[in-house]
Amino acid sequence: MPFVRFLLGLLVALGVLLLALPAVVLADLVSGGTGLGMCPNGLGTCETSVFTIAELVFILGMAAIVVGGGIAWCVRWLRRSAQRSVSL
């Protein structure tokens, strides 16, 4: 039971990081950085194709689905175990 709670905490933290990643990339680009490697020469000369953006959205979306599924599984597991302990 404590392992599932720990796993749930890790998954929630990972979900927050996944949601914050696009904002971090955008903030880095605006402040003159490379956008964590997305635009090596900065925003002014960035030649990123549409496929790069689509790939990034796809990867982040799939990661969010996996993390969300893990969170749902942990919550379901905790509810079932709580119901079992009440009925015993």
Side-chain angles (χ1 to χ4, degrees):
M1 185 81 88
F3 173 73
V4 176
R5 290 179 193 259
F6 180 73
L7 182 63
L8 179 62
L10 283 177
L11 287 171
V12 168
L14 185 61
V16 169
L17 287 174
L18 278 174
L19 291 175
L21 184 64
V24 170
V25 169
L26 185 61
D28 186 40
L29 280 171
V30 169
S31 66
T34 65
L36 301 179
M38 235 174 118
C39 297
N41 298 326
L43 190 57
T45 60
C46 188
E47 295 181 10
T48 303
S49 73
V50 176
F51 296 115
T52 304
I53 307 264
E55 182 182 355
L56 180 65
V57 168
F58 178 75
I59 290 171
L60 286 176
M62 292 306 288
I65 288 171
V66 169
V67 169
I71 290 172
W73 179 83
C74 286
V75 169
R76 184 175 296 146
W77 180 271
L78 289 173
R79 282 186 185 161
R80 284 185 183 172
S81 64
Q83 288 175 352
R84 280 189 228 137
S85 66
V86 169
S87 64
L88 294 178

